[in-house]
Amino acid sequence: MSEKHILVVDSDEMFVKAKIKLLESRNYQVDVACDGAETLEKAKQYPDLILLSRGLPDMDGIKVCQKIRKTKRLEHISIIIFTSKDTSSQRVEGLSFGADDCISKPIDDDELIARIEAVLRRNQVFRQVQEEQSALAKELKSILSEEMITPYFQPVYSMQSFLPIGVEALSRPPTSGLIDNAEFLFKTALILDMYSEVEMVCWKTAVAKWKKTINQGKLFLNCTPYFIESGRLSEKFISDLGIDPGSIVLEITERTAIQKYEVFIKELDRLRETGIKIAVDDVGSGFASLDTVVEIRPDIVKIDRQLVRELHKDELKYNIMQAIISFCKKSKVMTVAEGIEEEEELEAVIELGIDAVQGYLLARPVPEINPDIFTKKYGS
């Protein structure tokens, strides 16, 4: 049996009696109010839905709807407004002031029940989403306040020396909660408008761990255009990290596109002046085209793993890779091939003249990395 509670609000006694009979026959609990003041009082009993007539003795039903929507404790209550005229303007007005649906009298009983059930289903889903979002927000705030981000490090190898030139920091959240992987961490941060805060903690934890355990070569730190545009990468923030800016490679990732181009370029130029190097990640993918490279003018280009994958078997990929490497060499931009997993892929990019490589074949990301790797050539 349904336990849904519906408040019927109308001054027409015959209409109210008919609706009580209909709703009770469908196992709804029904209460009644005859004017706006009584409706506002009975709304404090938190009915699941209010069937609200516009024509009330003391105030327009629209005003009642507005008052409910402006009351924090009551705003979740579903509201269907009844109008006496079947006009689109009245429907639009009702919906614009917070009603979930707007129905003109008279209405067929089956259609009314269908409309009630649709509103209740829709709002139940909405409330579930709100509850989930609230739980995610609470967990994300906890992750940030306690800096529960674990940096993993993956070496980037020079193809001239076959020694690492540095490491890329990859941030991972705890795996025991709702936010249990990096992709979901960043998606949640975007939805909750907490992206810059997450990136700041990722940088802080990565730099602290790098200084403690590695402290040599370059540290590649992922960074979105959104983070750069926000101005959070201030001189004070970088200074507080306690790292020589010349050790940092700011790796622009594709998670968000550039929104404020002039601000973005201005901030990049300011960061360059500190000694930070700029890299563009995932070149060859949808976001990081050669147009982006031209606009940003990076020191380093990291070529997307999808272009690298089975490069030795795909003539078109091979030719595209050749064009990118040639373009970068002429422009004095260093190239890094990402996602190297097979010896044949490594041989192919070396043949094409790649400057550096990164991937599982050479080393997987790990939370603890031995600084001795900087003295051991790959393959030795």
Side-chain angles (χ1 to χ4, degrees):
M1 178 180 287
S2 170
E3 297 181 353
K4 297 296 183 184
H5 173 198
I6 295 181
L7 176 62
V8 180
V9 183
D10 202 296
S11 57
D12 183 336
E13 189 175 340
M14 289 185 62
F15 176 84
V16 170
K17 284 183 177 179
K19 295 303 168 271
I20 291 174
K21 183 178 180 181
L22 170 66
L23 294 169
E24 288 183 343
S25 72
R26 303 300 175 96
N27 297 321
Y28 288 106
Q29 297 178 17
V30 185
D31 197 0
V32 176
C34 61
D35 59 33
E38 189 179 8
T39 302
L40 294 173
E41 190 61 33
K42 289 196 172 182
K44 295 175 185 178
Q45 298 173 18
Y46 308 117
D48 296 287
L49 183 142
I50 299 176
L51 290 177
L52 178 62
S53 176
R54 279 204 66 167
L56 299 176
D58 56 345
M59 68 179 80
D60 191 314
I62 291 289
K63 290 190 179 296
V64 178
C65 182
Q66 281 184 285
K67 288 178 180 291
I68 291 171
R69 288 290 177 251
K70 289 180 179 179
T71 305
K72 188 69 176 175
R73 292 180 296 110
L74 308 178
E75 62 181 1
H76 68 279
I77 298 171
S78 301
I79 299 174
I80 295 178
I81 290 181
F82 282 117
T83 65
S84 57
K85 296 180 181 179
D86 185 11
T87 64
S88 58
S89 61
Q90 287 207 356
R91 176 176 172 79
V92 169
E93 184 181 13
L95 295 175
S96 67
F97 285 105
D100 296 280
D101 199 354
C102 196
I103 299 172
S104 61
K105 297 178 182 178
I107 183 170
D108 176 78
D109 285 351
D110 288 337
E111 183 181 348
L112 176 59
I113 294 297
R115 300 274 279 270
I116 288 171
E117 290 177 350
V119 166
L120 289 173
R121 278 197 306 271
R122 186 168 67 240
N123 286 1
Q124 183 179 7
V125 170
F126 178 70
R127 283 194 290 274
Q128 287 173 344
V129 169
Q130 283 187 312
E131 289 170 4
E132 288 173 8
Q133 193 172 87
S134 177
L136 288 171
K138 182 179 180 181
E139 184 167 316
L140 183 58
K141 288 175 182 177
S142 177
I143 289 171
L144 294 176
S145 64
E146 299 178 36
E147 296 188 353
M148 294 187 293
I149 300 286
T150 301
Y152 279 59
F153 298 102
Q154 185 177 37
V156 179
Y157 281 85
S158 165
M159 288 296 92
Q160 289 184 339
S161 64
F162 284 89
L163 292 169
I165 60 172
V167 294
E168 179 181 353
L170 304 163
S171 299
R172 308 277 173 85
T175 57
S176 56
L178 296 171
I179 304 171
D180 59 359
N181 64 73
E183 183 179 0
F184 193 46
L185 169 70
F186 291 110
K187 283 183 177 179
T188 302
L190 274 175
I191 292 169
L192 299 177
D193 196 25
M194 297 170 70
Y195 207 100
S196 291
E197 289 84 352
V198 170
E199 290 199 280
M200 289 175 78
V201 171
C202 288
W203 275 49
K204 287 171 66 177
T205 54
V207 170
K209 189 68 171 289
W210 178 84
K211 288 195 301 180
K212 183 178 179 180
T213 61
I214 303 172
N215 204 29
Q216 58 185 301
K218 298 289 187 182
L219 175 59
F220 289 71
L221 293 167
N222 289 306
C223 179
T224 61
Y226 180 83
F227 190 27
I228 295 169
E229 291 168 11
S230 73
R232 299 288 185 91
L233 276 172
S234 63
E235 290 181 16
K236 183 180 185 308
F237 175 72
I238 294 169
S239 175
D240 288 347
L241 292 174
I243 183 176
D244 176 7
S247 298
I248 296 174
V249 177
L250 186 156
E251 189 171 324
I252 301 171
T253 65
E254 67 170 332
R255 290 191 185 101
T256 60
I258 300 168
Q259 299 294 327
K260 304 172 185 175
Y261 181 76
E262 290 184 4
V263 172
F264 175 77
I265 295 299
K266 184 178 179 181
E267 287 296 310
L268 271 191
D269 289 342
R270 180 184 62 78
L271 291 164
R272 279 192 178 98
E273 289 174 1
T274 69
I276 290 174
K277 298 297 183 184
I278 307 298
V280 174
D281 195 19
D282 300 325
V283 169
S285 70
F287 166 75
S289 65
L290 289 181
D291 287 343
T292 307
V293 174
V294 170
E295 290 172 353
I296 293 175
R297 299 182 182 274
D299 304 287
I300 300 168
V301 155
K302 298 188 78 176
I303 301 171
D304 186 63
R305 68 188 64 207
Q306 296 303 320
L307 195 55
V308 172
R309 188 68 42 80
E310 297 191 335
L311 173 73
H312 53 290
K313 298 179 181 178
D314 191 319
E315 185 178 0
L316 181 59
K317 283 186 176 183
Y318 190 94
N319 291 338
I320 293 172
M321 178 74 81
Q322 187 175 49
I324 293 173
I325 293 173
S326 175
F327 167 83
C328 289
K329 283 190 178 300
K330 290 177 182 177
S331 305
K332 295 182 172 56
V333 175
M334 180 181 177
T335 52
V336 179
E338 297 183 291
I340 300 288
E341 296 185 3
E342 299 179 26
E343 286 286 354
E344 292 88 349
E345 293 168 352
L346 179 61
E347 292 169 3
V349 294
I350 291 174
E351 182 181 273
L352 288 168
I354 201 78
D355 296 310
V357 296
Q358 181 180 356
Y360 284 2
L361 177 68
L362 298 101
R364 289 176 175 268
V366 291
E368 301 289 341
I369 198 164
N370 191 329
D372 289 349
I373 64 166
F374 286 89
T375 61
K376 294 181 180 178
K377 291 186 177 183
Y378 169 71
S380 63

